[in-house]
Amino acid sequence: MKQLNYILFVLLLLTSGKLIGQQKLSFQEIDRQSLAYYYDAQWDSIIELSKAAKICNIDYYYLNYRVAVAYFYKTNYFTSAHYFDKALEQNKGALKDPYFKEMYYLTLIYSMQNNAAYQLLGVLDTLADLTKINYLGKVYALGMYGWAADLMDQDLLRLNPDMEYGQTDYQQSIQLLNFGATIMLSHTTELDIRYTNAQIGMISAVENDNIFHMRNYQVTQNAINIKPRFYFNRNASLDVALGLSSINGRPYGWIDSNAMHLGYNSLSEKSFLVGLEYSYLKNKTRWGINGAFSTYSFARQIQLGASLEWFPLGNYNLYTFSQATAFSPEPAVIRPVFYQKIGFKIMSKLWLEVNGTYGDVQNLTFVRNNFSYEIPDHSYGIIGAQFIGIISPRVSIFVGAQHWWRYAIKKEFDKDNNETIQHIDYQQHNITGGLQWKF
């Protein structure tokens, strides 16, 4: 009997709690309770109270101000910025409040919304000490070294019966250096410039009815990418990508007369890229759509894609980036590529990023990141990881590794000069490293 009474008592308490939660709170009660929680630094209580206020259709400046501060101290900077925006819309004079300006500025800096922070910096005349953590841009350097896991079996490279000529080229190694800078020209314009030099070691196998000839050669690639970003407001931006690349090499020597006759005696090509990406930040997610046209790797092609960046905790302690892209390098040919990255903080001042790509990235361009793949041969997929260490608020370094599943194209011609193509699989390892300095 006592147990039954106890159960009834607990059910009564739970029911009473639900009834109390369902009661609509008045504006005065919301204001009084939120102010009391604010003075007591009860940030969770303010956030929960704001949810109840939303149900009651109560929305005003001081409540949003307090909620913004609460989310800031909960390190949910993206949501904090959202509520600071709401408060500013409801009270245009909020920037006359030094504390409001300081908290809003720090929120934008910590969520890397540098364009909005740059704009706000102009009104921080009473907060000169904050300028020491401002952001005007960054410079960075990247190096990569890669090599084929195993050399291809010669039997795969030999000429098939009934063929007159065959040739196969594949990447044996790569040494790449990349230098770049990002500069905030104004609160509405950011400029990213990068230069890349790559020395790509290749192997060429050529065979006709007289010879089978293998040789090593090197391809030199130089590329420059320029990407201005235009901000419409804190949330919306447009990236314009412009790229120019030159590739030079000499795959075949004088002895490969058939190769020279078929136009394979030299390798020299200049290519270009134009691309656009529109992105919109809403609270903790950034959506983007992108498109590009390029002549990379000796083929005209159109790229269309969509991306999603997500900050589940409202900060950079955990973030994801996803992109799905479709290509049309030739009429009526669709080639999809899927990319996924996850980054998270593993200890103080140390982050780990892991990523994976499914599909042929031969000409893939990440417009927002101002980065393109232009490689001599193709891929099935890539997995990679890198550690990012924060040396100081302005300096960070990173080291990583990649594994590629790739294939080379073996071309053969019969006596009537008809072409056949065969894929030969192989794998490649890469190691990367670099540093970044903010100013």
Side-chain angles (χ1 to χ4, degrees):
M1 188 65 178
K2 289 183 178 180
Q3 290 180 341
L4 179 60
N5 290 336
Y6 177 76
I7 293 172
L8 291 173
F9 175 71
V10 171
L11 289 174
L12 179 62
L13 286 178
L14 293 174
T15 305
S16 301
K18 290 181 179 179
L19 290 173
I20 293 172
Q22 290 172 356
Q23 292 177 357
K24 286 200 171 185
L25 298 173
S26 67
F27 174 88
Q28 290 78 9
E29 290 171 318
I30 293 287
D31 190 53
R32 179 182 56 80
Q33 289 186 34
S34 65
L35 182 60
Y37 292 148
Y38 181 82
Y39 283 140
D40 289 341
Q42 297 185 38
W43 310 126
D44 288 324
S45 298
I46 292 177
I47 292 169
E48 289 303 315
L49 187 63
S50 72
K51 295 176 182 178
K54 185 176 181 180
I55 296 173
C56 300
N57 293 319
I58 296 174
D59 183 23
Y60 63 103
Y61 166 69
Y62 283 109
L63 178 62
N64 287 317
Y65 187 174
R66 294 160 192 165
V67 174
V69 174
Y71 275 114
F72 176 87
Y73 283 110
K74 295 292 291 181
T75 70
N76 188 337
Y77 303 118
F78 286 93
T79 305
S80 176
H82 168 73
Y83 280 97
F84 272 119
D85 284 344
K86 289 186 65 177
L88 192 56
E89 288 175 3
Q90 293 165 337
N91 180 7
K92 300 298 183 182
L95 292 179
K96 295 178 181 179
D97 178 351
Y99 186 69
F100 183 100
K101 289 188 293 186
E102 178 182 355
M103 297 299 290
Y104 190 22
Y105 179 78
L106 292 173
T107 294
L108 296 171
I109 285 290
Y110 294 159
S111 57
M112 298 187 187
Q113 299 179 66
N114 301 309
N115 64 304
Y118 184 93
Q119 181 181 19
L120 190 61
L121 191 62
V123 298
L124 292 174
D125 50 345
T126 60
L127 299 169
D129 58 319
L130 285 180
T131 60
K132 64 186 179 183
I133 61 167
N134 67 347
Y135 172 91
L136 297 178
K138 62 185 177 182
V139 293
Y140 47 89
L142 165 72
M144 183 174 76
Y145 178 75
W147 65 97
D150 295 295
L151 297 180
M152 291 185 185
D153 193 319
Q154 275 198 24
D155 292 339
L156 296 173
L157 305 176
R158 297 304 300 265
L159 194 66
N160 287 315
D162 304 323
M163 291 293 171
E164 297 291 321
Y165 172 78
Q167 62 107 8
T168 306
D169 296 83
Y170 71 96
Q171 183 175 309
Q172 184 182 17
S173 65
I174 183 171
Q175 299 179 53
L176 180 147
L177 291 174
N178 176 271
F179 303 96
T182 303
I183 304 170
M184 293 294 304
L185 300 179
S186 72
H187 71 273
T188 59
T189 308
E190 179 182 277
L191 182 64
D192 186 275
I193 302 175
R194 65 170 58 196
Y195 164 74
T196 304
N197 173 269
Q199 303 295 324
I200 304 171
M202 300 289 295
I203 291 181
S204 170
V206 177
E207 185 173 12
N208 59 24
D209 54 354
N210 295 318
I211 62 160
F212 173 65
H213 182 52
M214 291 186 66
R215 65 186 296 267
N216 298 324
Y217 69 95
Q218 184 166 285
V219 171
T220 299
Q221 178 184 3
N222 290 285
I224 184 166
N225 292 73
I226 300 174
K227 182 182 67 64
R229 174 177 294 166
F230 302 100
Y231 292 95
F232 303 114
N233 49 48
R234 185 179 70 81
N235 304 100
S237 63
L238 178 69
D239 291 353
V240 181
L242 305 170
L244 181 65
S245 171
S246 67
I247 294 179
N248 294 280
R250 191 171 180 82
Y252 306 105
W254 62 269
I255 194 171
D256 306 319
S257 58
N258 279 31
M260 294 174 67
H261 173 70
L262 292 167
Y264 297 112
N265 58 308
S266 65
L267 178 64
S268 180
E269 184 74 13
K270 287 183 172 61
S271 306
F272 70 90
L273 159 79
V274 293
L276 295 172
E277 176 158 340
Y278 174 81
S279 62
Y280 186 82
L281 176 66
K282 184 176 181 180
N283 206 343
K284 296 188 290 186
T285 58
R286 179 181 286 113
W287 302 82
I289 54 173
N290 62 75
F293 174 80
S294 73
T295 60
Y296 285 161
S297 302
F298 321 109
R300 296 180 180 180
Q301 70 170 3
I302 295 174
Q303 168 185 328
L304 296 173
S307 64
L308 171 63
E309 195 172 12
W310 180 36
F311 306 93
L313 304 179
N315 55 40
Y316 277 85
N317 289 345
L318 177 63
Y319 53 92
T320 72
F321 179 80
S322 310
Q323 178 165 304
T325 307
F327 296 87
S328 180
E330 298 174 6
V333 175
I334 301 297
R335 178 163 54 88
V337 177
F338 302 96
Y339 175 81
Q340 178 65 55
K341 177 175 71 175
I342 300 175
F344 51 93
K345 186 177 182 179
I346 56 177
M347 62 177 63
S348 177
K349 299 183 179 181
L350 185 64
W351 275 254
L352 173 63
E353 284 186 356
V354 294
N355 60 78
T357 307
Y358 176 78
D360 193 343
V361 301
Q362 186 179 21
N363 300 309
L364 176 63
T365 295
F366 292 98
V367 175
R368 184 171 182 84
N369 296 329
N370 201 20
F371 174 76
S372 298
Y373 289 100
E374 183 188 0
I375 53 180
D377 45 354
H378 305 261
S379 71
Y380 294 115
I382 307 168
I383 59 170
Q386 71 172 0
F387 289 98
I388 303 171
I390 308 301
I391 305 302
S392 74
R394 296 189 181 277
V395 180
S396 58
I397 62 173
F398 54 89
V399 294
Q402 294 178 334
H403 184 80
W404 292 49
W405 287 270
R406 309 184 72 165
Y407 66 91
I409 291 179
K410 178 180 181 180
K411 295 182 179 180
E412 295 181 313
F413 299 86
D414 62 18
K415 61 182 180 181
D416 297 320
N417 208 29
N418 296 314
E419 182 185 58
T420 62
I421 292 178
Q422 177 185 349
H423 290 181
I424 302 178
D425 298 343
Y426 72 105
Q427 299 180 45
Q428 178 179 325
H429 307 306
N430 298 326
I431 56 174
T432 61
L435 60 87
Q436 175 181 277
W437 175 62
K438 297 179 182 178
F439 59 88

